[in-house]
């Protein structure tokens, strides 16, 4: 950079980790004077997608240079130096933030360090120097209004930048509500934002910014095919890695990672590949029913994009019944140095279905080159500063199987790119209609929810270069998070996951008669992946086959297919440190997952001679004989407790476990967990007011969690004699004191 633009950084505290990159250095390397820096804090990938779109369109539509950054990878303390640097270099810089809020008001994994640092800055700056007073920023927050702390990170960052830093916001602070239409919120916000950005630069620059027409899309990368590579050890085979290619070997019939000294730190960018020690089905003969209507019959879908319905779907009396399945996995984490607490989350990294990958390869016309090694190199004609979402060198098949989400629903940005790769006037009109309808947020957009495979099947004249597909079109696969359903003390070296399979019906155009062989279904990316692990693990000699596949032929090399890539995310959904405090757990369906771990942990604590407070579980499902998760296990625990108490076992007699069930479809009247909670209002009130109980809610955020909170407020009024306002204050007070916990979605 030539000059150190540091201020008194010691006053604000050092930024975590010394290996962060310098965004000022990258800014210094470009000639342009007008620049937009775009940072994202993302958990599921949506904020990153929006930030990427924003960055690309700033360059293409406004003709202003933009740089895109993962907020985790850069030294964000340089924000304090940026105003001085910009003034000295004569640059006009806007800093943009796309910040998601995770869970109950928490920063995303990749934004934790930044969030802690900037809050420390505010706390340490007793003189309130307004260190960002010459900084201009743009901010879009992402959240879900069903959560109490909706968009907390975005809102608080906006306050910090303005009130503490003295920075100036350009345009309006934008918010996207995932419970409604995040994409629509983003589209509406950015269309208003672009004129504001143009006005800022035109008023700050002596040069006139031309913005008559957007430039034609230019691919960010060129593809290079590699016929000869020095060593297969340099090739990525689908592994997720922070440092470089990873390989696995076998010894004594056990698979292990080569060159791993057991001191490796595993995290979201470098997951541990874990063996499944046990997996099983939990539901018995369960089905979801969907009523058939003419709109569904006319939906244009294709057999190649989805899965055969054999043994999964039933058609009867104008209804589709799709089999409901829930899988339990015990995952071996020995030799990993991974630790967790009951209530923490595990990230699972899925891969795409092999048949759908093959279909897309065929539609793209790259079958002959699918297994050739490639790299993506920056296109000198493009001003994009994006980085590829794939690890390279790898094959096209590897990229489409392990790195890119080929089942993602296409957004406006993707349709705008795709529309430039057809000469067919009807296809162009089709794309333009979709784009216009996307911009009309009042339109029902479900019929335009298309994957890339579906679009290519519908529009065969569209020919998209493979470098555009790999580098500009498809988002990367992001991990899915599950509540861990086990206790590390009760089950050393084991981590359990409870996952209900996501399935929904689809029809082909050839199915007006609704015959079973003409009906298909689709499934969630991660649960479909877990289902494939389950089915393959049931095959005879499955482990032997996986070991035999660990060969060194680069054309067939891949990560161990029956081993699941995982990492841990610490949660605030934790048991109280004081084991004597009672806990009240409410969790229907798979909401029981963390509570299984809580019960295991409390039982283990009791067996260690600790005094354990009353433990109540309110659990709901449809039918006790079909979808009552862990029924036998819970009944066995109750039986063990009763037997040991009858034998005057001093180590267990203090542990009082009560399970109260709600079965919604066993009677004409629907009975849910909130109904059972109300029936036990007096004991609930006593535990809350007299015993300092902790309340835990896990499951659906939009209905169940809201109804449960309303039920507790009603108990406070009817049993506790509180007024409306007092009951509301009670819930807020419980949350502030860390006694009211939610893990909802």
């Amino acid at each position: 950079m030539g000059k150190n633009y540091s201020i008194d950084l010691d006053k604000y505290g050092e930024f975590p980790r010394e290996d962060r990159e310098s965004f000022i250095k990258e800014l210094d390397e470009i000639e342009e004077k007008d620049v937009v820096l775009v940072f994202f804090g993302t958990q599921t990938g949506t904020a990153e997608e929006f930030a990427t779109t924003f960055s690309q369109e700033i360059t293409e539509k406004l003709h202003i240079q933009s740089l895109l950054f993962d907020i985790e990878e850069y030294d964000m303390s340089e924000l304090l130096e940026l105003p001085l640097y910009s003034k000295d270099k004569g640059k006009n810089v806007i800093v943009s933030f796309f910040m998601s809020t995770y869970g109950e008001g928490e920063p995303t994994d990749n934004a934790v360090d930044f969030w802690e640092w900037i809050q420390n800055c505010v706390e340490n700056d007793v003189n309130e120097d307004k260190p960002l007073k010459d900084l201009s920023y743009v901010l879009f927050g992402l959240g879900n209004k069903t959560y109490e702390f909706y968009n907390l990170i975005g809102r608080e960052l906006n306050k910090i930048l303005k009130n503490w830093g003295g920075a100036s916001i350009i345009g309006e602070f934008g918010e996207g509500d995932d419970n409604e239409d995040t994409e629509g919120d983003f589209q509406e916000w950015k269309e208003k934002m672009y004129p504001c950005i143009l006005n800022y630069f035109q008023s700050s620059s002596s040069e006139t910014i031309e913005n008559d027409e957007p430039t034609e899309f230019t691919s960010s990368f060129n593809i290079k095919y590699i016929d000869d590579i020095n060593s297969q050890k340099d090739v990525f085979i689908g592994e997720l890695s922070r440092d470089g290619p990873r390989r696995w070997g076998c010894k004594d019939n056990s698979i292990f990672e080569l060159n791993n000294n057991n001191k490796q730190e595993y995290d979201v960018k470098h997951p541990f590949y874990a063996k499944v020690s046990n997996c099983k089905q939990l539901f018995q003969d369960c089905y979801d029913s969907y009523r058939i209507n003419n709109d569904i019959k006319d939906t244009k879908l294709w057999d190649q994009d989805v899965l055969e319905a054999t043994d999964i779907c039933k058609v009867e009396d104008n209804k589709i019944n799709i089999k409901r399945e829930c899988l339990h996995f015990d995952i071996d984490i020995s030799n990993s140095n991974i630790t967790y607490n009951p209530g923490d989350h595990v990230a699972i990294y899925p891969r795409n279905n092999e048949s759908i990958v093959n279909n897309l390869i065929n539609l793209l016309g790259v079958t002959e080159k699918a297994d050739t090694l490639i790299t993506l190199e920056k296109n000198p004609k493009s001003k994009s500063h994006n980085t590829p979402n794939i690890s390279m060198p790898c094959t096209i098949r590897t990229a489409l199987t392990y790195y890119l989400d080929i089942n993602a629903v296409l957004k406006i940005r993707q349709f705008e790119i795709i529309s430039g790769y057809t000469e067919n006037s009807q296809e162009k009109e089709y794309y333009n209609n979709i784009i216009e309808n996307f911009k009309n947020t009042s339109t029902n957009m479900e019929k335009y929810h298309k994957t890339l495979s579906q679009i290519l099947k519908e529009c065969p004249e569209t020919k998209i270069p493979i470098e555009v597909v790999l580098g500009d079109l498809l988002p990367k696969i992001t991990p899915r998070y599950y509540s861990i359903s086990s206790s590390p003390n009760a089950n050393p070296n084991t981590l359990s996951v409870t996952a209900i399979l996501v399935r929904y019906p689809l029809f082909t155009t050839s199915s007006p008669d609704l015959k079973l062989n003409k009906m298909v279904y689709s499934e969630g990316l991660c649960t479909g992946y877990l289902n494939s692990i389950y089915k393959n693990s049931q095959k005879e000699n499955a482990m032997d086959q996986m070991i035999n596949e660990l060969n060194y032929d680069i054309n067939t090399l891949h990560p161990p297919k029956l081993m699941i890539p995982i990492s841990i995310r610490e949660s605030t959904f934790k048991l109280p440190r004081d084991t004597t405090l009672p806990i009240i757990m409410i969790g229907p369906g798979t909401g029981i997952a963390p509570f299984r771990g809580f019960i295991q942990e409390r039982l283990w604590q009791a067996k260690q001679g600790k005094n354990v407070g009353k433990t109540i579980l309110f659990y709901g499902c449809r039918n006790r004989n079909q979808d009552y998760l862990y029924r036998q296990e819970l009944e066995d625990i109750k039986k063990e407790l009763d037997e040991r108490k009858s034998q005057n076992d001093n180590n267990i007699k203090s542990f009082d476990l009560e399970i109260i069930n709600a079965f919604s479809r066993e009677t004409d009247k629907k009975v849910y967990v909130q109904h059972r909670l109300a029936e036990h209002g007096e004991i609930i009130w006593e535990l809350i007011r007299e015993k300092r109980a902790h309340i835990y809610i896990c499951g659906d955020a939009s209905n169940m969690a809201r109804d449960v909170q309303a039920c507790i407020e009603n108990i406070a009024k009817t049993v506790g004699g509180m007024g409306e306002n007092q009951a509301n204050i009670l819930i807020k007070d419980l949350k502030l004191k860390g006694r009211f916990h939610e893990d909802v979605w």
Side-chain angles (χ1 to χ4, degrees):
M1 289 184 291
K3 179 179 179 180
N4 182 13
Y5 296 93
S6 63
I7 61 175
D8 186 10
L9 295 180
D10 291 339
K11 174 180 178 180
Y12 302 105
E14 292 185 3
F15 197 77
R17 247 179 56 197
E18 295 180 355
D19 60 340
R20 305 292 174 114
E21 300 290 334
S22 167
F23 64 80
I24 286 183
K25 180 180 179 182
E26 294 191 27
L27 179 60
D28 199 53
E29 291 173 351
I30 63 174
E31 296 179 357
E32 288 81 359
K33 297 297 184 182
D34 297 330
V35 186
V36 178
L37 307 182
V38 184
F39 295 92
F40 60 84
T42 190
Q43 193 71 27
T44 62
T46 305
E48 181 177 358
E49 283 188 56
F50 288 176
T52 302
T53 296
F54 184 77
S55 177
Q56 291 174 333
E57 291 186 350
I58 289 291
T59 300
E60 295 168 11
K61 296 182 178 182
L62 305 189
H63 310 294
I64 297 169
Q65 183 60 62
S66 176
L67 301 179
L68 179 68
F69 304 112
D70 181 338
I71 205 167
E72 182 181 36
E73 301 298 327
Y74 288 81
D75 180 356
M76 297 306 292
S77 68
E78 289 188 339
L79 281 178
L80 303 175
E81 303 177 67
L82 185 58
L84 293 174
Y85 164 83
S86 300
K87 183 178 180 180
D88 184 73
K89 293 290 186 177
K91 287 182 180 284
N92 300 312
V93 180
I94 294 175
V95 180
S96 305
F97 296 94
F98 289 78
M99 304 297 291
S100 288
T101 297
Y102 181 77
E104 290 298 324
E106 302 167 53
T108 58
D109 286 351
N110 75 321
V112 168
D113 287 342
F114 165 69
W115 189 242
E116 291 179 352
W117 170 78
I118 200 165
Q119 287 185 313
N120 287 336
C121 285
V122 176
E123 293 174 5
N124 293 336
D125 190 4
V126 292
N127 296 322
E128 298 181 354
D129 291 337
K130 306 293 184 186
L132 303 176
K133 59 181 178 295
D134 295 320
L135 185 76
S136 297
Y137 70 96
V138 167
L139 178 58
F140 188 84
L142 297 87
N144 188 308
K145 281 186 177 176
T146 59
Y147 290 81
E148 179 179 0
F149 301 104
Y150 168 63
N151 237 323
L152 179 70
I153 300 301
R155 291 178 176 182
E156 288 298 309
L157 180 58
N158 192 34
K159 292 178 183 177
I160 289 172
L161 292 173
K162 286 195 297 187
N163 299 338
W164 166 75
S168 301
I169 190 168
I170 295 174
E172 295 181 356
F173 166 47
E175 293 188 303
D177 179 14
D178 188 49
N179 192 50
E180 293 292 336
D181 181 15
T182 316
E183 172 75 12
D185 294 335
F186 170 61
Q187 294 298 332
E188 183 178 356
W189 171 81
K190 72 181 178 69
E191 292 304 322
K192 294 178 181 178
M193 182 55 62
Y194 291 158
C196 297
I197 292 174
L198 272 178
N199 290 337
Y200 171 84
F201 283 118
Q202 287 172 343
S203 63
S204 303
S205 175
S206 59
E207 300 179 4
T208 301
I209 299 174
E210 300 292 338
N211 186 45
D212 295 332
E213 293 291 337
T215 57
E216 183 177 337
F217 171 76
T218 303
S219 62
S220 301
F221 307 97
N222 292 327
I223 192 167
K224 179 181 179 182
Y225 292 93
I226 305 173
D227 296 324
D228 182 32
I229 192 164
N230 294 332
S231 172
Q232 64 88 26
K233 68 181 177 61
D234 298 322
V235 174
F236 285 89
I237 57 175
E239 69 272 39
L240 299 153
S241 174
R242 184 192 306 106
D243 306 316
R246 303 166 68 176
R247 294 294 185 268
W248 290 264
C250 178
K251 184 178 181 180
D252 299 329
N253 207 37
S254 177
I255 294 177
F256 63 96
E257 187 171 350
L258 301 174
N259 302 321
N260 179 12
N261 58 9
N262 290 330
K263 294 182 180 180
Q264 175 70 58
E265 291 186 7
Y266 297 103
D267 56 27
V268 69
K269 294 190 175 180
H270 194 88
F272 174 64
Y273 282 73
K275 182 179 71 174
V276 176
S277 55
N278 176 51
C279 54
K280 59 184 178 182
Q281 293 274 9
L282 296 178
F283 284 173
Q284 301 293 325
D285 196 30
C286 293
Y287 288 85
D288 277 326
S289 292
Y290 300 86
R291 187 163 297 280
I292 299 167
N293 57 51
N294 290 330
D295 291 338
I296 292 179
K297 292 181 189 179
D298 294 337
T299 301
K300 190 174 185 180
L301 294 161
W302 307 90
D303 294 284
Q304 294 94 328
D305 306 324
V306 285
L307 306 169
E308 294 182 2
T310 310
D311 300 325
I312 298 298
C313 305
K314 297 178 182 179
V315 180
E316 47 187 45
D317 299 329
N318 212 39
K319 288 193 303 184
I320 295 294
N321 295 320
I322 295 187
K323 192 173 185 180
R324 295 177 69 224
E325 294 184 280
C326 186
L327 298 175
H328 171 88
F329 288 87
D330 287 326
I331 298 172
D332 184 0
I333 57 172
S334 56
N335 301 318
S336 68
N337 292 323
I338 285 179
T339 60
Y340 72 93
N341 291 308
D344 282 349
H345 300 143
V346 58
I348 293 180
Y349 301 71
R351 61 173 177 259
N352 289 306
N353 180 283
E354 185 176 338
S355 65
I356 298 178
V357 171
N358 291 336
N359 177 52
L360 179 57
I361 287 172
N362 181 56
L363 290 169
L364 290 169
V366 293
T367 303
E368 293 183 358
K369 295 184 176 180
D371 297 302
T372 303
L373 289 172
I374 60 103
T375 61
L376 295 178
E377 299 179 341
K378 180 173 172 53
N379 182 356
K381 296 180 180 179
S382 172
K383 288 191 174 183
S384 169
H385 278 251
N386 297 342
T387 55
N389 285 328
I390 63 176
S391 299
M392 302 175 294
C394 68
T395 66
I396 294 173
R397 187 184 307 279
T398 294
L400 295 176
T401 301
Y402 293 95
Y403 298 132
L404 299 173
D405 190 350
I406 65 176
N407 287 313
V409 173
L410 299 174
K411 309 285 177 54
I412 290 181
R413 169 71 183 171
Q414 284 97 328
F415 280 114
E416 288 177 339
I417 294 173
I418 292 170
S419 66
Y421 291 101
T422 181
E423 299 298 325
N424 184 291
S425 59
Q426 290 182 327
E427 291 184 356
K428 279 186 176 292
E429 183 179 1
Y430 178 55
Y431 295 137
N432 290 334
N433 286 338
I434 292 177
I435 292 167
E436 288 304 312
N437 281 316
F438 260 117
K439 292 179 179 178
N440 179 8
T441 55
S442 63
T443 303
N444 181 357
M445 294 307 300
E446 284 192 14
K447 62 181 177 180
Y448 296 122
H449 286 180
K450 307 284 186 180
T451 66
L452 180 58
S453 292
Q454 290 168 342
I455 281 295
L456 293 177
K457 188 69 176 180
E458 292 182 30
C459 302
E461 297 300 312
T462 298
K463 307 297 181 184
I464 311 172
I466 188 61
E467 60 266 29
V468 173
V469 173
L470 300 180
D472 293 290
L473 210 53
L474 293 175
K476 66 182 176 184
I477 292 176
T478 55
R480 275 53 172 176
Y481 289 84
Y482 295 86
S483 296
I484 298 173
S485 53
S486 58
S487 156
N489 287 315
N491 303 279
N493 297 322
T494 297
L495 176 155
S496 298
V497 172
T498 309
I500 190 166
L501 303 188
V502 178
R503 289 172 172 159
Y504 49 92
L506 301 171
F507 296 86
T508 65
T509 52
S510 58
S511 61
D513 53 359
L514 300 177
K515 289 181 179 178
L516 181 60
N517 64 346
K518 297 297 182 183
M519 186 194 67
V520 292
Y521 75 98
S522 186
E523 61 185 9
L525 174 60
C526 193
T527 58
Y529 162 64
L530 291 175
N531 193 31
S532 71
I533 295 283
Y534 166 72
K535 289 191 292 187
N536 287 325
S537 68
Q538 304 304 300
K539 296 178 181 178
E540 188 175 358
N541 299 322
M543 184 59 67
D544 292 339
Q545 181 179 346
M546 181 169 68
I547 291 173
N548 291 334
E549 289 176 348
L550 295 176
N551 58 62
Y552 294 93
D553 179 356
I554 197 60
N555 294 315
T556 58
L557 205 58
H558 55 74
K561 286 189 175 180
L562 294 183
M563 298 180 76
I564 301 177
I566 64 167
S567 65
I568 303 299
R569 189 184 201 279
E570 187 177 349
S571 171
T572 58
F573 200 74
K574 295 185 180 300
L575 285 167
R577 291 187 177 182
D578 184 349
T579 63
T580 65
L581 293 176
I583 63 171
I584 303 165
M585 303 173 289
I586 305 107
T590 52
I592 196 176
F595 301 143
R596 178 178 184 260
F598 282 8
I599 291 171
Q600 289 181 354
E601 180 73 5
R602 301 271 275 191
L603 179 60
W604 177 84
Q605 290 170 345
K607 290 180 178 179
Q608 305 310 303
K610 295 183 180 180
N611 189 4
V612 177
K614 187 173 181 63
T615 303
I616 304 180
L617 169 64
F618 288 88
Y619 176 67
C621 64
R622 298 179 183 183
N623 187 294
R624 76 186 77 204
N625 295 320
Q626 294 180 341
D627 57 351
Y628 186 167
L629 296 178
Y630 303 112
R631 176 183 178 180
Q632 189 60 54
E633 182 178 311
L634 292 172
E635 290 177 351
D636 289 345
I637 291 174
K638 285 286 292 178
K639 183 179 179 181
E640 178 188 358
L641 288 172
D642 292 341
E643 289 177 351
R644 295 181 70 159
K645 286 179 181 178
S646 67
Q647 298 168 2
N648 293 319
D649 187 335
N650 290 327
N651 284 352
I652 212 73
K653 65 181 181 181
S654 69
F655 184 35
D656 181 10
L657 173 64
E658 185 174 2
I659 299 170
I660 300 168
N661 295 310
F663 303 114
S664 62
R665 300 194 181 181
E666 289 193 353
T667 61
D668 293 337
K669 183 180 179 181
K670 296 288 180 68
V671 179
Y672 298 115
V673 285
Q674 60 267 29
H675 300 134
R676 293 293 188 225
L677 199 64
E679 291 171 4
H680 294 77
E682 291 189 4
I683 183 63
I684 296 300
W685 183 248
E686 179 187 349
L687 292 174
I688 293 174
R689 295 297 283 178
E690 306 295 333
K691 306 292 186 180
R692 297 187 296 126
H694 282 235
I695 300 168
Y696 298 86
I697 303 172
C698 184
D700 169 52
S702 58
N703 295 307
M704 182 278 300
R706 181 186 58 204
D707 292 342
V708 166
Q709 180 170 321
C711 179
I712 294 172
E713 290 179 1
N714 193 55
I715 289 172
K717 290 184 287 186
T718 57
V719 181
M722 286 186 167
E724 184 79 30
N725 190 48
Q726 287 178 302
N728 291 334
I729 292 174
L730 170 69
I731 298 296
K732 292 180 180 179
D733 185 57
L734 289 172
K735 290 181 178 181
L736 286 172
K737 292 179 177 177
R739 289 174 52 199
F740 193 103
H741 313 263
E742 291 181 292
D743 185 359
V744 294
W745 54 86

